[in-house]
Amino acid sequence: MKDKKDKIVIVGGDLRQIHLANLYSKTAQVWVYGFEKNSQEFENTVQLISGTEERKTVLSDADFLILPMPVMENDTYINAPFSDQKLEIDVILKEVGTNCIVYAGKITSDLQKRLESFKLRFYDYLEREELAIWNAVPTAEGTLQIVLEELPVTIYGLSVLLVGSGRISRVLWKYLKTLGADVSVSARKHKDLSWIQLDGCHAIHTKELKTQIHNYDLIINTVPAKILDKTILEQVKPNALLIDLASKPGGVDFEVAKQLGLKTIWALSLPGKVAPLSAGEIIYNTISNMIEEWRE
């Protein structure tokens, strides 16, 4: 049994990090910084850092620092929508003790260099497989919400194309098929095409998109590469809905889609928007796994 509780500091983030703090407060000492606008959401056991001196003291003695996903608002400031102030990343990292381990979501190459310059140990929880798998569920449910809000027809009987056959796509096609949609899925690898067929969907090789995409009323991209370019978008039905779930730079040429008058929605970070408590618990479980593995 451990002699003392872990000291965890959570800096910046949204409702996911608030739920994360509340979960950790049951087993650890938890401090939060950058949540002035939503401080009432925390459990009584979560301690709010009130000023610069207290922040320096707490960060210098912390076991773990947890930063949001994505970490940065821009090149300088931490993503902290619930803060009344701008949280400069270099100021925070400079105050972190050398024995502290930093966990963050979507660490850019620039942020990695900064963490290394401060000689801090760090891990990106967005790269963990279990987080990616479980995040596919709220992403898929959030996508269905968008479809129901944007299309004037039922999902039942809808002709749907999923571009890409990864984790999110796999969850989506199960949901869509259950609701009665006619689902096709594109992929490059023959093993993926086989799994698509085995699950009862129509399999389309990516190279056939240009000749097949005109058949669909709903097109959902999950591939973070510009697959849906001008030559393909010109074949899309004028009244079709395109939803891009891929992270930047996305998979749709949005400028071309706009010129063609196609309705396109770039739906980023859906887990944190549609199911923040579930998304916070997913992050909690993932980081807890990482800490346990580090201690082994």
Side-chain angles (χ1 to χ4, degrees):
M1 180 179 290
K2 292 184 293 185
D3 294 328
K4 65 181 184 66
K5 290 184 176 181
D6 289 326
K7 297 179 179 179
I8 298 175
V9 182
I10 298 173
V11 176
D14 50 27
L15 288 173
R16 290 173 290 182
Q17 279 66 42
I18 290 178
H19 189 51
L20 178 69
N22 289 334
L23 289 171
Y24 267 119
S25 70
K26 295 175 173 60
T27 58
Q29 299 179 68
V30 179
W31 287 265
V32 296
Y33 186 69
F35 296 91
E36 300 91 317
K37 296 178 183 178
N38 283 61
S39 58
Q40 74 281 357
E41 301 287 342
F42 291 105
E43 301 287 350
N44 293 332
T45 47
V46 175
Q47 303 173 68
L48 277 65
I49 298 173
S50 59
T52 302
E53 292 306 314
E54 183 184 7
R55 186 189 69 209
K56 289 180 180 179
T57 301
V58 172
L59 282 173
S60 67
D61 193 42
D63 296 306
F64 305 105
L65 168 63
I66 301 177
L67 296 173
M69 177 176 68
V71 185
M72 304 300 292
E73 176 185 326
N74 51 38
D75 292 337
T76 304
Y77 299 109
I78 295 172
N79 174 26
F82 295 152
S83 179
D84 290 325
Q85 56 189 318
K86 293 288 187 180
L87 309 184
E88 192 170 344
I89 185 66
D90 288 342
V91 171
I92 298 298
L93 296 182
K94 184 167 60 175
E95 296 171 354
V96 177
T98 54
N99 292 325
C100 182
I101 298 178
V102 180
Y103 293 98
K106 199 173 184 180
I107 297 176
T108 62
S109 57
D110 178 66
L111 179 56
Q112 180 175 332
K113 291 176 183 177
R114 295 185 187 192
L115 287 159
E116 290 171 347
S117 71
F118 288 104
K119 296 181 171 52
L120 295 171
R121 288 173 293 174
F122 59 91
Y123 300 95
D124 192 335
Y125 53 83
L126 184 59
E127 294 182 352
R128 295 282 294 199
E129 184 70 10
E130 68 265 43
L131 184 139
I133 291 170
W134 285 109
N135 259 352
V137 174
T139 300
E141 292 184 6
T143 304
L144 293 180
Q145 178 180 333
I146 293 172
V147 173
L148 291 168
E149 291 174 349
E150 296 293 336
L151 286 180
V153 296
T154 61
I155 290 177
Y156 183 88
L158 192 65
S159 181
V160 183
L161 171 64
L162 302 178
V163 180
S165 59
R167 309 175 196 90
I168 293 172
S169 189
R170 288 179 182 232
V171 175
L172 260 175
W173 79 53
K174 294 180 187 298
Y175 282 173
L176 287 164
K177 279 182 58 61
T178 300
L179 292 170
D182 183 19
V183 182
S184 299
V185 185
S186 72
R188 294 183 184 277
K189 297 179 180 178
H190 290 289
K191 68 172 184 178
D192 294 330
L193 294 168
S194 297
W195 280 113
I196 291 164
Q197 289 178 299
L198 192 62
D199 272 358
C201 298
H202 308 294
I204 298 177
H205 196 283
T206 302
K207 65 184 179 183
E208 299 175 339
L209 281 174
K210 183 177 179 180
T211 59
Q212 298 294 322
I213 202 164
H214 68 278
N215 293 315
Y216 302 99
D217 302 305
L218 171 63
I219 300 160
I220 302 173
N221 175 67
T222 65
V223 180
K226 281 286 191 297
I227 287 183
L228 302 182
D229 58 16
K230 185 175 187 293
T231 60
I232 293 177
L233 291 174
E234 286 177 336
Q235 309 306 317
V236 174
K237 286 182 179 180
N239 60 342
L241 173 64
L242 286 86
I243 300 176
D244 196 346
L245 302 178
S247 57
K248 295 180 180 180
V252 178
D253 189 324
F254 296 104
E255 187 59 36
V256 170
K258 183 178 180 181
Q259 292 171 3
L260 293 171
L262 298 174
K263 188 170 187 177
T264 307
I265 297 172
W266 197 1
L268 295 173
S269 303
L270 282 179
K273 294 175 181 176
V274 301
L277 296 189
S278 296
E281 187 168 356
I282 291 168
I283 295 172
Y284 167 79
N285 290 332
T286 301
I287 295 176
S288 296
N289 291 342
M290 297 171 80
I291 292 173
E292 183 179 344
E293 291 172 6
W294 170 73
R295 286 191 164 124
E296 289 177 350

